Amino acid sequence: MEGETIRHVEEWARPRTVVLLTLLLLAALWTVVVVSLVVARHDSLAATGRTLQQLTRALEEQTRQQFRLLDTVLVASELWLQERPDRDLHSDPAVRRLVDNLRASSGSFFDIRLQAADRPSSPNPGKEHGPSAHPAGSNRPTRDVGLWIGQPIADPATARVHLPVARAPSNPRADGQQLMAIVDLEMLSRSYETERLRPHGVIALLSLDGTVLAQAGDDWQPAHSLAGGTLFRHHLAEQSRAVVVLDDEDSEDHPRLLASYSVLTDFPFVVVVLEDYDAALAGWKRQSMWTILLALGMTIPLAVVAWRSLRLLRRLAEHSVQLRDLAISDQLTGVSNRQHFVATLADELVLRQHRSLPLAVMLLDIDFFRRINDGYGHTIGDQVLLAVAQAAKRALRQRDLLARFGGGQFAVLLPDTEIAEALLVANRIRAHTGEIAIPTENGTVRFSVSVGASEATASDRSTDELLRRAAQALHSAAAAGHDRVVAA
């Protein structure tokens, strides 16, 4: 049980195990973080996209209602002129009140005028305005509404940009004048200002040829064209309503934008709602920063705990090894103790039965060791034991096992060794021992060893039988005068 515990501790104390476990935990943690950030980013963009779509639909309906009102005013004004051909539209108080009231209800973004039909800025009801071959060609003005849109013109007196809008008259006037509405694009832009997303949102009304008619939320450049931009070059050609990312790679001045656009089916307009891409992700970036900081706050302590745990486990393993060494070793000489020697010998006997390999055992006894202890003291006796252990080690192989049995007696286990080879080893140990000289106050101490050797046989079923024969050989060596080797 103790051996299994020590083995488990050693396995957990392996640097590779601790490092691998820590890396797996960190990989799981950061996988969750990365996946959550990716999902949160997608959700943030999707939420902003839904908001832009809702705003686009609202503005689409608002624009439609404004121009339908404008159409109604033009129809009413035309009927009034037909019934009163001799009256002046601009000076008649009744019709001016009607027009002014309608203008006020619409935000004062238009006026009704009579002007020469052949003016360059006048919309010509005889031809359709906007490119008839536009990718969204189905979005040209319909006959049900009957409005014709001209090109934006600048008023020299006020520098304001106007958009002329006219209907095809049922009865052309004899004086060659045409009834039209003049849309104040700046006022139209102001009507969009309250609807845009703050602080970076932009709302724009475009014609089908890409001309910006009205814009809220950015430096407005009247009547400039976006026909060459990504929106018209790619997205409008594929679908008339969508939420897209506008990224003009050819220009560093234009930021990346998230755009929702819709082509009106009954007017030649495109409603575009824009939001700065980075602004749309601002909340996600703040959340990501805190998520990453939290993950780092977990990663660093986890790494520190893993490092300290690794050090602790290594120390435990080292202490376990030391305890194991103490449990199987002789404290004085450092060689194996009797219990470990006998257990190892038992394992070797079992192995020999399966493999039929030779096995030899030797018992060494320091001659007259008790006299040394009594005459020179136990300190010198301990030095003698250490010297004998070192002399025996010099004569042994790495796989041979040396053990102290107690007093001045040692045992040697020689795996894969026949008795003849064992006797050679025993004589080398005896010779090395004879060279030992320990100086003391009472003179130099010299001593010898007697050795009894025995080889395992097929009939040996236990360690006792083999050790008993080696003990008998040792007794014979001592009886024969000591300092000699005897085989059983």
Side-chain angles (χ1 to χ4, degrees):
M1 184 66 180
E2 181 180 354
E4 292 182 359
T5 302
I6 292 174
R7 186 172 64 256
H8 290 322
V9 171
E10 290 177 347
E11 290 177 355
W12 278 101
R14 292 176 182 173
R16 182 169 57 185
T17 303
V18 177
V19 170
L20 180 60
L21 181 61
T22 303
L23 290 178
L24 287 176
L25 291 175
L26 291 178
L29 170 64
W30 283 100
T31 298
V32 172
V33 170
V34 171
V35 170
S36 65
L37 291 181
V38 171
V39 172
R41 183 179 185 275
H42 177 270
D43 292 344
S44 180
L45 291 176
T48 303
R50 288 192 295 269
T51 301
L52 294 179
Q53 281 183 317
Q54 293 173 359
L55 183 56
T56 301
R57 286 193 289 268
L59 291 170
E60 182 182 354
E61 186 60 27
Q62 175 184 326
T63 302
R64 182 178 289 110
Q65 293 300 329
Q66 287 175 322
F67 278 87
R68 282 179 176 173
L69 174 62
L70 185 59
D71 181 59
T72 301
V73 174
L74 285 173
V75 171
S77 300
E78 181 182 348
L79 292 175
W80 186 88
L81 287 175
Q82 290 176 358
E83 293 176 359
R84 301 169 181 82
D86 56 337
R87 305 285 290 274
D88 186 359
L89 176 68
H90 299 289
S91 60
D92 188 277
V95 72
R96 289 312 305 172
R97 282 196 300 271
L98 173 63
V99 172
D100 289 343
N101 288 338
L102 291 173
R103 288 178 63 245
S105 65
S106 66
S108 301
F109 81 99
F110 71 89
D111 193 9
I112 304 298
R113 298 180 186 176
L114 271 173
Q115 67 180 38
D118 58 352
R119 291 183 59 180
S121 62
S122 301
N124 188 349
K127 25 182 207 180
E128 298 176 1
H129 291 267
S132 60
H134 192 275
S138 61
N139 303 301
R140 296 179 299 175
T142 64
R143 299 298 180 183
D144 294 337
V145 178
L147 286 180
W148 302 89
I149 310 299
Q151 295 296 324
I153 58 175
D155 188 341
T158 62
R160 300 172 79 94
V161 179
H162 297 153
L163 180 70
V165 181
R167 289 182 56 86
S170 57
N171 294 313
R173 294 176 60 86
D175 56 6
Q177 289 189 317
Q178 179 183 358
L179 183 67
M180 69 174 57
I182 303 299
V183 177
D184 188 339
L185 295 181
E186 184 174 341
M187 295 301 296
L188 185 60
S189 298
R190 291 180 183 177
S191 70
Y192 293 148
E193 179 64 31
T194 57
E195 305 294 336
R196 73 181 182 89
L197 298 177
R198 297 302 196 272
H200 303 289
V202 177
I203 296 174
L205 181 68
L206 313 178
S207 65
L208 290 181
D209 62 0
T211 302
V212 179
L213 303 177
Q215 179 176 314
D218 203 350
D219 294 334
W220 180 40
Q221 301 175 9
H224 72 282
S225 177
L226 298 180
T230 306
L231 178 63
F232 274 79
R233 283 190 290 116
H234 299 292
H235 302 295
L236 274 172
E238 298 176 356
Q239 48 190 341
S240 60
R241 180 191 300 270
V243 177
V244 297
V245 176
L246 301 181
D247 191 359
D248 192 349
E249 299 177 354
D250 299 331
S251 174
E252 298 180 355
D253 299 332
H254 294 82
R256 197 178 190 189
L257 300 172
L258 192 63
S260 171
Y261 68 88
S262 176
V263 181
L264 276 67
T265 57
D266 44 2
F267 292 99
F269 299 132
V270 181
V271 175
V272 182
V273 180
L274 303 171
E275 173 67 319
D276 184 84
Y277 191 85
D278 292 333
L281 291 176
W284 171 80
K285 290 180 179 179
R286 288 192 296 270
Q287 177 185 351
S288 300
M289 180 187 67
W290 287 111
T291 302
I292 292 174
L293 288 178
L294 179 61
L296 287 174
M298 297 175 64
T299 299
I300 295 175
L302 183 59
V304 172
V305 169
W307 177 70
R308 293 182 66 88
S309 299
L310 178 60
R311 293 185 60 189
L312 177 60
L313 289 173
R314 289 179 64 88
R315 288 181 180 177
L316 288 175
E318 291 173 357
H319 291 164
S320 299
V321 171
Q322 293 175 0
L323 290 175
R324 182 180 61 184
D325 291 341
L326 290 175
I328 66 174
S329 302
D330 177 64
Q331 296 184 8
L332 175 62
T333 60
V335 300
S336 176
N337 59 22
R338 183 186 186 100
Q339 292 79 8
H340 181 247
F341 182 90
V342 173
T344 305
L345 177 58
D347 294 338
E348 289 292 338
L349 285 176
V350 174
L351 182 63
R352 182 185 179 282
Q353 292 175 2
H354 292 88
R355 298 173 58 185
S356 299
L357 296 175
L359 177 66
V361 170
M362 298 188 302
L363 291 180
L364 289 76
D365 193 21
I366 301 174
D367 295 329
F368 309 110
F369 180 67
R370 179 173 295 180
R371 295 181 184 179
I372 296 174
N373 271 336
D374 294 341
Y376 295 94
H378 288 282
T379 301
I380 300 301
D382 291 344
Q383 293 182 24
V384 169
L385 291 172
L386 286 170
V388 171
Q390 293 172 2
K393 287 180 180 179
R394 291 201 304 271
L396 298 177
R397 301 166 298 184
Q398 185 68 31
R399 58 178 177 169
D400 297 335
L401 180 63
L402 174 66
R404 183 184 173 200
F405 266 30
Q409 190 176 87
F410 292 84
V412 178
L413 175 61
L414 301 170
D416 302 335
T417 304
E418 295 180 350
I419 189 62
E421 298 177 29
L423 295 177
L424 294 176
V425 174
N427 281 306
R428 284 200 299 270
I429 295 176
R430 190 175 65 83
H432 291 328
T433 304
E435 298 173 355
I436 299 173
I438 300 176
T440 68
E441 295 179 354
N442 299 320
T444 301
V445 177
R446 294 182 180 274
F447 49 90
S448 61
V449 293
S450 298
V451 182
S454 176
E455 182 178 4
T457 64
S459 61
D460 290 334
R461 297 302 179 206
S462 68
T463 59
D464 293 339
E465 297 177 10
L466 183 57
L467 291 175
R468 180 178 53 78
R469 291 200 304 272
Q472 290 176 351
L474 176 61
H475 180 72
S476 298
H482 304 285
D483 191 19
R484 64 191 63 226
V485 177
V486 175

